[in-house]
Amino acid sequence: MEITLVHSSCRNLHFRHPPLHYEPSTPSHNSLTFSKSLLRHPKLSISKKSVNCSNPPFQSSLSRCSLNDEFAGVESDFELSKSLAVKTKAMEISPELKGTSVFLVGMDNTMKADIGKVLADALRYYYFDSNGLVEQLAGGDSTYKSLIEEDENGFRESETEVLKQLSSMGRLVVCTGAGAVHSSTNLAFLRHGLSIWIDVPLFMIGKEVLDAALSVSSSSEVLDELTGLYERMKDGYATADAKISLQKVATEMGYDDMESVSVEDMAFEVIICFTIS
């Protein structure tokens, strides 16, 4: 049995699981296709492991600036201006990417997922959430949760199969699950594109979990659980091509509160990391 990701440009993509149809979000123009040839790009050099993109090693023909620099003095419609800045910068670097896929790694949180969607829209890429695909492979949310709790090996095998298929295509932004970096096999698949570690403080993720009623545990128990997962996965996250730290971005942009950092702020930092050696 198999499942098929349904899109006009990837009809032959199959998984060895029960039948399923999945519709990716669609870019704003129709000329994009998934093609292995798009993966044969010049070697992309994003500074060595987990260096924050704001540091000096990220020198290229692209100017280094923050969104605050880009729109200094602009007060009205500031959020719209941020969105425009992200799209403008994406258009500048898009030819250099040559269709290279982008994989976002790190702990699960809405910031990481939203960054992926903003990047996909700005780059005219397709967006996938690997956890969402694994959930559909499992047959739905309840079965997915049971799979995680009762058959972790089966869950990891499904996750690896998803990454294998996605890594064979280009022009994707993939938001990976928190445990996607657990094996050398998965890490090898991520090397087919650019991997970016989205580093969000654990206390913010814990608050998100509690606010969304995703756990009946106390705040301290949730934080302990997140910390344990982070400690197991952090070495894998550190193999990413670049690291975008929400805390660092907040400091550099002069925010007093880390929650003031927007999705566009983070997406802009991701985009300006891309450079060709």
Side-chain angles (χ1 to χ4, degrees):
M1 290 186 292
E2 65 187 20
I3 70 167
T4 304
L5 294 186
V6 179
H7 188 274
S8 60
S9 56
C10 54
R11 288 173 179 159
N12 296 323
L13 177 62
H14 303 297
F15 292 83
R16 294 186 297 276
H17 292 276
L20 170 73
H21 295 291
Y22 185 83
E23 291 286 352
S25 58
T26 306
S28 53
H29 60 76
N30 298 321
S31 63
L32 298 184
T33 57
F34 294 144
S35 169
K36 290 184 179 180
S37 65
L38 290 172
L39 297 175
R40 296 194 292 271
H41 52 78
K43 181 174 179 57
L44 291 153
S45 76
I46 293 183
S47 182
K48 287 292 181 179
K49 303 175 182 178
S50 300
V51 178
N52 188 283
C53 288
S54 59
N55 289 340
F58 290 88
Q59 299 296 329
S60 72
S61 59
L62 302 179
S63 59
R64 173 66 179 88
C65 59
S66 70
L67 277 179
N68 282 351
D69 296 328
E70 193 85 358
F71 287 95
V74 176
E75 298 295 338
S76 62
D77 299 323
F78 189 56
E79 292 306 314
L80 181 60
S81 298
K82 288 184 177 183
S83 178
L84 177 60
V86 170
K87 292 182 178 181
T88 300
K89 188 63 69 174
M91 290 178 64
E92 290 180 15
I93 61 90
S94 184
E96 296 186 3
L97 286 177
K98 298 184 183 296
T100 307
S101 290
V102 178
F103 295 91
L104 304 182
V105 304
M107 298 291 286
D108 291 335
N109 58 89
T110 56
M111 173 64 81
K112 184 176 72 172
D114 289 346
I115 290 170
K117 294 171 185 176
V118 168
L119 288 174
D121 180 64
L123 292 168
R124 307 283 183 93
Y125 275 24
Y126 292 84
Y127 173 79
F128 283 97
D129 182 320
S130 66
N131 274 350
L133 286 174
V134 175
E135 178 181 325
Q136 293 191 47
L137 291 175
D141 181 63
S142 60
T143 310
Y144 170 75
K145 290 178 179 177
S146 297
L147 182 65
I148 295 175
E149 296 170 358
E150 301 171 11
D151 185 11
E152 184 176 357
N153 288 337
F155 170 77
R156 294 303 177 195
E157 288 175 2
S158 295
E159 182 176 57
T160 296
E161 185 67 18
V162 165
L163 292 176
K164 176 182 178 181
Q165 298 295 333
L166 294 178
S167 68
S168 70
M169 298 182 287
R171 304 194 75 86
L172 304 182
V173 174
V174 180
C175 180
T176 67
V181 298
H182 81 283
S183 71
S184 58
T185 300
N186 287 4
L187 291 174
F189 291 141
L190 297 180
R191 299 312 301 170
H192 284 260
L194 297 169
S195 56
I196 309 294
W197 177 9
I198 304 300
D199 186 24
V200 175
L202 294 182
F203 81 87
M204 293 180 67
I205 300 175
K207 183 176 182 297
E208 180 180 315
V209 171
L210 293 170
D211 289 347
L214 298 176
S215 173
V216 295
S217 304
S218 66
S219 58
S220 60
E221 290 173 330
V222 168
L223 187 58
D224 287 345
E225 183 177 344
L226 289 172
T227 300
L229 177 60
Y230 176 83
E231 290 298 322
R232 295 194 301 275
M233 299 298 166
K234 65 179 182 180
D235 288 344
Y237 298 154
T239 65
D241 294 302
K243 172 182 176 181
I244 307 296
S245 165
L246 186 145
Q247 183 175 11
K248 180 94 173 186
V249 171
T251 300
E252 292 183 340
M253 299 191 71
Y255 293 138
D256 295 327
D257 182 359
M258 282 189 283
E259 293 186 352
S260 297
V261 177
S262 70
V263 173
E264 287 76 18
D265 291 330
M266 295 288 284
F268 191 85
E269 292 296 317
V270 172
I271 289 174
I272 62 176
C273 282
F274 302 149
T275 180
I276 302 295
S277 61

